[in-house]
């Protein structure tokens, strides 16, 4: 049901910017994407995007033969072209500022416990988590002392303008206290953004309070969000000749205004900026650097960054008479090939090398499957879990130092995790999306040493882009191997058999392997990572459910190889040494054993037996164990809930410390 292309001579400006959209939060949705629903339940679905159950059809298998028995010949030392050293926090999150009250919490004393758990899972594996609060809505965000009804933020829907339909956002310092209190429970480090649409004068409201409240938990401030899109007509924030030189002048002006306002006595703000954050739309990085960006602002830049989505789905999100909505089925194969990542990242390789020469980390500040909310059946299926892992590993290989995957509200398909709609938060749990699995696994693949190097394995001729493989190194020695199988073949004929050998080392008698599994790339929800899952829609309190199942694979001592089978589809993380395994699970897990409640009853149910055996176990022994209301403890639960309702005093959220997994 693709709408016919309208070739009016008065082509709306919207068409001029196709493919150029930065991320946006969608406020007015349009259900065009649902027209492509293929399942019976989905075809009649009329709810918001984040909970659309529709699935696509399995993609076809390649017609040519695929190399499925793959020799993976690693070297114990001296491997050339390893990436720079990576941190466990490589895979972070970018949260659209306007939805922080749904995702982070209502205020500093009412934190969303599922969010804490989701972050704690990553902290356990990686040591820390990077979260950016911003996006399009940061550009018009205005700090106010108070808002009606004790809200911490409020969209001014009557102020909606432009094609991205982004309303101005008012927020209170309570949002910053909320972030600060989260950081005192889990090791989250934050990025914020300076509103940049209006520069004369800049709205500097965020600068002082964020320094004071977040202190060392703040990693940096984005100086402009995709400035190379400011001048496109529909955005209309700058004139058409707006250039990197003009952006540089604004950057200087910002520094001067911060000084004039006396907002940065320690100099910390002026050395914590992140730029140029371009979308490689109107400008290239080289043009920005050639315009003197680093020469002028090296001392001011804590990080270099870009933002990039492989494509957009804006026509489905915004509709309009000339919208040409993409059938997700037609683009599904583009998300199931390693070539997509090499092609997307190729333009950045010169700059990630350059960044090393100037000692700057280079970040992918905002990304996801497709801007304007992603694609139904792709962004919310197992496809995205494999795509996100391969993309993150390829970025690590390509000398990025981190990547933040974006999440918006209920009206998008691509959220790594989604809070229930506010008026359903008393009886619904969270929905954990495929990209959260990618995040968790990337944290494990990197580990907490800050010393991990990645290399995409391309030493075999005829290696299919459907089966990318990565070597992961500590101190130059391979410690883990990551294997992606994008193919979808229930017969088993396309299972990968990776035959791992390490020149210069004796192979162990056996290796441990963790699998990310689903029955098809189009499956939604209930994926498993080493046997554990976050369930389907509305089923997660942020803790993995089920018993961890790590496979032991015997190696061939005679041949000095270990052969790892990876189902089609699937992903395997192979731990080549016991150290590589224990390092990852060594950190104590910390979980928060209840959900933030807005009413005194919570009818969401999670099998307590599952919780008892999940990560951060032994919950069943504790008062706050039940997320459902146990029949014989109704009074006690009611009291607990009342206490939580009165303000989820942080001290009452007991951080349970136990040995992980
Ligand atoms: C990443 O940086 C390392 C160290 O400078 C270099 O050897 C390697 O070739 C780079 N990788 C890519 C893909 O540019
Ligand atoms: C909302 O936006 C409109 C239009 O820009 C403006 O006139 C109004 O003052 C704004 N309201 C608030 C509460 O900021
Ligand atoms: C949480 O934030 C409030 C301020 O809103 C503060 O009084 C309280 O001490 C904070 N708690 C923690 C644990 O930081
Ligand atoms: C690589 O980037 C540097 C710094 O921006 C630039 O001077 C150089 O011309 C670029 N090289 C190529 C081949 O684009
Ligand atoms: C929640 O709010 C939405 C939008 O206002 C409404 O359509 C829906 O019926 C409400 N759901 C419940 C359970 O109150
Ligand atoms: C890794 O780096 C982070 C951030 O720079 C730091 O807080 C942490 O202590 C480092 N971990 C190790 C093991 O050095
Ligand atoms: C925080 O939110 C909770 C739940 O809505 C409310 O009971 C409490 O009064 C709020 N605290 C503040 C300081 O606004």
């Amino acid at each position: 049901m693709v709408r016919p292309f309208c070739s009016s001579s008065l082509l709306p400006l919207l068409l001029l910017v196709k493919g150029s959209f930065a991320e946006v939060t969608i406020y007015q949705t349009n259900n065009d994407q649902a027209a492509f629903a293929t399942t019976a339940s989905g075809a009649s679905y009329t709810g918001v995007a984040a909970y659309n159950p529709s699935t696509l059809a399995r993609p076809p298998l390649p017609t040519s033969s695929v190399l499925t028995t793959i020799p993976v010949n690693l070297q114990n030392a001296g491997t050339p072209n390893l990436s720079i050293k990576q941190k466990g926090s490589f895979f972070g999150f970018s949260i659209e500022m306007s939805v922080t009250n749904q995702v982070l919490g209502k205020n500093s004393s009412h934190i969303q416990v599922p969010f804490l758990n989701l972050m704690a899972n990553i902290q356990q594996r990686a040591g820390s988590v990077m979260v950016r609060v911003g996006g399009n809505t940061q550009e018009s965000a205005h700090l106010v002392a108070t808002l009606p009804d004790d809200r911490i933020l409020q969209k001014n829907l009557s102020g909606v303008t432009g094609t991205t339909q982004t309303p101005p956002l008012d927020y209170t310092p309570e949002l910053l206290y909320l972030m600060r209190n989260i950081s005192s429970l889990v090791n989250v480090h934050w990025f914020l953004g300076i509103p940049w649409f209006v520069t004369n004068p800049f709205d500097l409201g965020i600068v002082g309070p964020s320094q004071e409240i977040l202190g060392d938990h703040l990693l940096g401030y984005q100086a402009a969000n995709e400035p190379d899109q400011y001048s496109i007509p529909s955005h209309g924030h700058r004139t058409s000749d707006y250039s990197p030189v003009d952006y540089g002048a604004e950057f200087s002006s910002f520094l001067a205004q911060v000084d004039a306002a006396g907002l940065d006595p320690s100099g910390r703000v002026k050395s914590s900026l992140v730029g140029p954050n371009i979308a490689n739309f109107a400008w290239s990085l080289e043009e920005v650097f050639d315009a003197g960006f680093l020469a002028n602002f090296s001392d001011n830049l804590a990080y270099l960054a870009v933002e990039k989505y492989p494509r957009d789905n804006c026509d489905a999100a915004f509709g309009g008479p000339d919208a040409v909505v993409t059938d997700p089925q037609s683009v599904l194969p583009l998300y199931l090939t390693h070539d997509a990542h090499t092609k997307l990242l190729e333009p950045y390789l010169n700059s990630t090398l350059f960044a090393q020469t100037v000692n700057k980390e280079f970040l992918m500040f905002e990304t996801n499957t497709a801007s304007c909310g992603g694609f139904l059946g792709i962004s919310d299926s197992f496809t995205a879990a494999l795509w996100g892992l391969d993309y993150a590993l390829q970025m690590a290989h390509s000398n990025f130092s981190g990547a933040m995957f974006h999440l918006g509200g209920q009206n998008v398909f691509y959220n790594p995790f989604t809070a229930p709609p506010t008026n359903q938060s008393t009886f619904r749990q969270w929905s954990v999306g495929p990209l959260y699995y990618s995040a968790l696994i990337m944290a494990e693949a990197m580990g907490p040493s800050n010393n991990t190097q990645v290399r995409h394995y391309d030493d075999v001729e005829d290696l299919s882009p459907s089966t990318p493989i990565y070597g992961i190194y500590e101190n130059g020695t391979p410690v883990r191997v990551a294997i992606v199988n994008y193919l979808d073949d229930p017969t088993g004929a396309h299972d990968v058999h990776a035959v791992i050998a390490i020149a210069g080392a004796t192979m162990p008698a056996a290796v441990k392997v963790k699998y990310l599994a689903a029955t098809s790339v189009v499956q939604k929800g209930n994926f498993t990572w080493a046997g554990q899952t976050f369930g389907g829609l509305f089923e997660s309190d942020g803790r993995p459910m089920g018993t961890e199942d790590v496979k032991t694979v015997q190696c061939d001592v005679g041949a000095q190889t270990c052969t790892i089978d990876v189902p089609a589809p699937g992903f395997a993380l192979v731990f080549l040494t016991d150290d590589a395994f224990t390092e990852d699970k060594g950190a104590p897990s910390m979980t928060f054993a209840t959900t933030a409640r807005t009413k005194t009853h919570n009818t969401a149910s999670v099998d307590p037996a599952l919780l008892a055996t999940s990560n951060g176990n032994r919950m069943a022994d504790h008062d706050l164990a039940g997320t459902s209301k146990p029949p014989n403890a109704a009074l006690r639960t009611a009291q607990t809930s009342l206490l939580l309702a009165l303000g989820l005093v942080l001290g009452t959220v007991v951080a349970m410390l136990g040995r992980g997994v």
Side-chain angles (χ1 to χ4, degrees):
M1 270 273 305
V2 176
R3 292 179 188 185
F5 185 80
C6 168
S7 62
S8 148
S9 59
L10 291 168
L11 215 61
L13 296 174
L14 184 61
L15 285 179
L16 299 176
V17 300
K18 260 168 73 72
S20 69
F21 272 98
E23 195 31 43
V24 296
T25 305
I26 296 157
Y27 297 94
Q28 272 100 66
T29 38
N30 168 316
N31 241 331
D32 281 358
Q33 197 85 153
F36 296 107
T38 56
T39 60
S41 61
S44 56
Y45 179 82
T46 55
V48 294
Y51 313 118
N52 191 322
S54 316
T55 55
L56 299 178
R58 286 190 133 105
L61 287 162
T63 47
S64 52
S65 81
V66 172
L67 184 71
T68 51
T69 297
I70 306 172
V72 182
N73 294 317
L74 307 177
Q75 295 165 228
N76 199 45
T79 308
N81 294 319
L82 295 182
S83 75
I84 55 173
K85 292 182 176 177
Q86 302 291 3
K87 298 194 184 86
S89 57
F90 189 93
F91 196 120
F93 303 98
S94 162
I95 303 178
E96 189 64 47
M97 194 167 182
S98 57
V99 301
T100 45
N101 58 342
Q102 295 166 30
V103 176
L104 304 182
K106 285 188 91 164
N107 57 46
S108 67
S109 51
H110 193 98
I111 298 174
Q112 286 278 16
V113 174
F115 178 77
L116 293 179
N117 282 330
L118 291 167
M119 296 302 108
N121 298 333
I122 293 179
Q123 177 187 338
Q124 182 203 357
R125 291 161 173 83
S128 65
V129 194
M130 288 192 292
V131 179
R132 174 262 192 136
V133 165
N136 271 24
T137 49
Q138 86 192 22
E139 294 279 31
S140 57
H142 181 58
L143 185 67
V144 297
T146 57
L147 285 169
D149 305 324
D150 290 329
R151 291 203 195 107
I152 62 169
L153 60 80
Q154 180 171 294
K155 291 167 245 186
N156 179 357
L157 290 169
S158 66
V160 173
T161 53
T163 34
T164 58
Q165 303 180 358
T166 307
L169 190 69
D170 290 340
Y171 66 102
T172 71
E174 191 67 7
L175 172 60
L176 302 170
Y177 284 113
L178 167 61
M179 292 162 66
R180 172 65 183 80
N181 279 354
I182 288 170
S183 292
S184 66
L185 294 167
V186 285
N187 197 15
V188 174
H189 295 271
W190 306 93
F191 288 103
L192 286 169
I194 307 289
W196 207 270
F197 282 168
V198 177
T199 59
N200 192 17
F202 277 97
D203 180 341
L204 299 175
I206 200 166
V207 174
S210 58
Q211 278 300 303
E212 193 180 310
I213 296 166
L214 291 168
D216 289 344
H217 300 288
L218 189 64
L219 292 170
Y221 299 92
Q222 213 183 12
N225 185 50
E226 304 187 328
D228 61 330
Q229 303 226 41
Y230 284 178
S231 64
I232 57 180
S234 63
H235 289 206
H237 301 293
R238 298 290 187 275
T239 54
S240 61
D241 55 358
Y242 181 65
S243 71
V245 173
D246 299 319
Y247 171 56
E250 291 171 0
F251 204 102
S252 295
S253 171
F254 170 78
L255 297 171
Q257 290 182 40
V258 167
D259 276 342
L263 283 170
D264 191 27
S266 68
R268 198 168 174 278
V269 176
K270 284 192 294 160
S271 60
S272 306
L273 300 174
V274 181
N277 315 311
I278 62 171
N280 272 35
F281 171 65
W283 311 336
S284 71
L285 281 164
E286 282 81 3
E287 285 173 292
V288 177
F289 296 145
D290 289 350
F293 189 64
L294 262 159
N296 295 335
F297 306 120
S298 184
D299 292 345
N300 309 113
L301 289 161
Y303 299 86
L304 299 175
V306 292
E307 300 186 9
K308 195 70 185 173
Y309 290 73
R311 59 188 56 76
D312 77 85
N313 194 19
C314 298
D315 275 3
F318 296 115
D322 299 292
V324 182
V325 178
T326 303
D327 178 356
Q329 190 77 50
S330 71
V331 288
L332 176 62
L334 305 178
Y335 289 90
L336 295 166
T337 171
H338 180 72
D339 289 346
H341 301 306
T342 37
K343 194 167 150 241
L344 188 84
L345 297 175
E346 204 274 330
Y348 300 109
L349 295 180
N350 182 37
S351 296
T352 58
L353 283 177
F354 174 63
Q356 293 176 51
T357 68
V358 292
N359 283 318
K360 300 287 179 202
E361 292 190 356
F362 190 98
L363 301 176
M364 178 61 78
F365 217 70
E366 183 185 311
T367 189
N368 208 308
T369 39
S371 63
C372 292
F375 287 104
L376 173 62
I378 294 174
S379 307
D380 49 1
S381 72
F382 193 60
T383 298
L386 297 178
W387 173 88
L389 261 170
D390 187 20
Y391 185 24
L393 285 162
Q394 185 66 21
M395 280 190 272
H397 162 91
S398 304
N399 298 316
F400 282 72
S401 289
M404 283 167 282
F405 286 72
H406 198 63
L407 61 114
Q410 321 285 328
N411 294 323
V412 300
F413 298 109
Y414 57 39
N415 291 335
F417 41 85
T418 310
T422 315
N423 63 355
Q424 300 181 15
S425 62
T426 51
F427 58 94
R428 297 276 203 200
Q429 295 273 12
W430 284 37
S431 308
V432 172
L435 286 170
Y436 182 77
Y437 290 79
S438 316
L440 194 68
I441 296 167
M442 188 64 183
E444 245 174 269
M446 297 299 101
S449 75
N450 293 343
N451 195 30
T452 310
Q453 291 169 284
V454 177
R455 181 169 175 272
H456 174 241
Y457 181 75
D458 62 355
D459 304 2
V460 180
E461 236 180 286
D462 303 330
L463 191 62
S464 162
S466 304
T467 62
I469 297 175
Y470 295 86
I472 298 165
Y473 300 75
E474 299 277 357
N475 302 312
T477 299
V479 290
R480 292 180 282 279
V481 175
I483 307 162
V484 182
N485 189 348
Y486 279 121
L487 297 166
D488 191 323
D489 182 359
T491 69
H494 287 86
D495 289 3
V496 159
H497 315 285
V499 184
I500 302 174
I502 307 176
T506 305
M507 292 306 278
V511 291
K512 291 201 160 50
V513 184
K514 285 184 163 192
Y515 286 99
L516 175 68
T519 54
S520 164
V521 295
V522 298
Q523 180 178 321
K524 290 193 171 183
N526 295 307
F527 318 128
T528 55
W529 168 237
Q532 295 185 304
T533 185
F534 296 92
L537 293 177
F538 307 116
E539 285 183 358
S540 178
D541 71 354
R543 290 178 289 181
M545 297 181 279
T547 309
E548 191 181 52
D549 177 20
V550 181
K551 304 290 185 200
T552 299
V553 173
Q554 299 302 320
C555 299
D556 182 333
V557 175
Q560 285 289 294
T561 56
C562 304
T563 300
I564 312 300
D565 299 333
V566 187
F571 170 87
L573 186 61
V574 185
F575 298 84
L576 296 172
T577 65
D578 281 349
D579 280 355
F581 185 69
T582 49
E583 174 199 294
D584 273 349
K585 65 189 291 266
S589 76
M590 175 171 62
T591 64
F592 301 88
T594 187
T595 48
R597 293 164 218 209
T598 49
K599 297 260 169 57
T600 52
H601 290 270
N602 184 340
T603 57
S605 78
V606 174
D607 181 351
L610 291 182
L611 289 183
T613 53
S614 72
N615 231 343
N617 49 15
R618 285 179 282 282
M619 289 303 154
D621 299 338
H622 194 272
D623 267 6
L624 296 179
T627 48
S628 60
K629 190 173 156 189
N632 296 327
L635 181 61
R636 192 174 62 191
T637 304
Q639 285 169 341
T640 305
S641 300
L642 186 61
L643 179 67
L644 294 167
L646 286 173
L648 199 76
V649 178
L650 287 164
T652 68
V653 181
V654 179
M656 301 290 289
L657 294 171
R659 294 308 296 177
V661 205

